[in-house]
Amino acid sequence: RDLTGGIYDGDARYIATGTENGAKRTVFARRSGGPGGPTGWAITRHLADGQLDKGFGTGGEVVLFDGAGLSAVGSAILASNHYAHAVAIDPDGKTLIVGRRAEGKGKRVRYTGVIVRLDTDGSFDDTFGEGGIVDLGFNDIVALALEDVTGGYEIVAATRDDVTVPSSGGGGKKKGGGSSTAAGLVVIRYDDSGSLVSSFSDPYDAGDDFRAVDLQLDGTGRIIVQTVSAGERTLSRYDDLGVLDTTFGDDGRVLLEDAGGFKADRAYMAVDGSDRVLVSGWSSDGVTILRRYDDAVAVDLQVPNNWTFSQAQAGPVAVDSQGRACVLLWVGPNTDWDIAIARYTAGGLVDTTFGTGGVSEWFDDGNRDRPGPIAIDADDGVVGALVGYDGDPNPYYAQDLLVRWLGS
């Protein structure tokens, strides 16, 4: 389904599935606006058949933080700095989005990370935070996960922020009197009213561009965070109170790499029902990465041998209710890159009951179509957000598409 008929291209696309009163819903978040001008958060909600939910916002869409009132300084358009970074549907069918918004004008623009909750009709949920928004005070919020607790749920989020690092000794934490500034990671927890959970220990790390890019929870409530620092991607694991789990990998961390020891250039992750972390992506030497970590022990999964494409790079991964991993592939016969999806059994083998030999291909007629995020719906169908170039390599003519693969 063509959602936009032409939007500003980029990687800022996020998807979530859930239910409202037992009915399936899909929420899709992306940037609004166009190149060279202000952008905001555009949120669409879809019914089980893919049609826009006309009871949500205006015709199925809500646009937040659209840049109104922000101004350009020199040649820089400061209004283009609103980004949604993750989306979820809570047990009541409400939509949660995290990301960054910009406030102010000219050189006085301030960036702040926020959690937003929208009611099922797309309006701000006044029972959450202040008027539906929680301002975390950090530069950005990049990932979130929801955990069921007695009487409701809690929100776990990972942030990006500039933190003060002591020049020697000490344990400074944010504005703690240090002499240098670096990017740092903070993991925080809120309850479902938008209040900070004070018993959580606020995991914190500072380093050379130490930035979170994803966060997942396993079945015991442990928090797995993917970070990037100095060109290295790592997994860190914390317990449910925010304490680094030093039994995981090398003192709580695992370096993401391929079987040949080449570091991951791009990686996506998901957690299965056995608390194993699945990682997909590609390495610095261009090799596809498909690995499953049982604690910190890595097992490589087979790339399906499907000769209708000559190259494949692994994209986003998700796990269904039967423990089957579904991996979106960016596949390339010659110069025209398109989309396929592979499915693996819970034992890590290619699931030959899916598609043809474990792979289902989806080819558009355009050039260099790109994979976006995927999610699993209530029937184990895979919903994916893709970017179709519609026959024109100019990214300004890209179209966002939602595609659903059946779980059978």
Side-chain angles (χ1 to χ4, degrees), residues 272 274 276 292 320 322-325 344-349 351:
D272 70 13
S274 299
R276 299 171 298 192
R292 187 179 67 197
D320 69 14
Q322 300 179 53
R324 299 175 300 193
Y344 295 82
T345 66
L349 302 177
D351 183 358

Side-chain angles (χ1 to χ4, degrees), residues 120-173:
T120 55
D121 63 359
S123 62
F124 284 105
D125 180 3
D126 289 337
T127 66
F128 182 77
E130 295 185 10
I133 300 176
V134 173
D135 187 331
L136 281 73
F138 298 103
N139 288 349
D140 205 353
I141 309 297
V142 297
L144 87 159
L146 306 185
E147 182 179 16
D148 290 334
V149 297
T150 303
Y153 63 90
E154 292 182 349
I155 303 162
V156 183
T159 77
R160 288 177 183 155
D161 200 16
D162 291 332
V163 296
T164 301
V165 182
S167 56
S168 62
K173 177 178 179 180

Side-chain angles (χ1 to χ4, degrees), residues 278-296:
L278 291 133
V279 174
S280 60
W282 57 90
S283 61
S284 54
D285 63 341
V287 173
T288 294
I289 296 175
L290 284 171
R291 312 196 91 178
R292 187 179 67 197
Y293 292 89
D294 191 349
D295 282 329

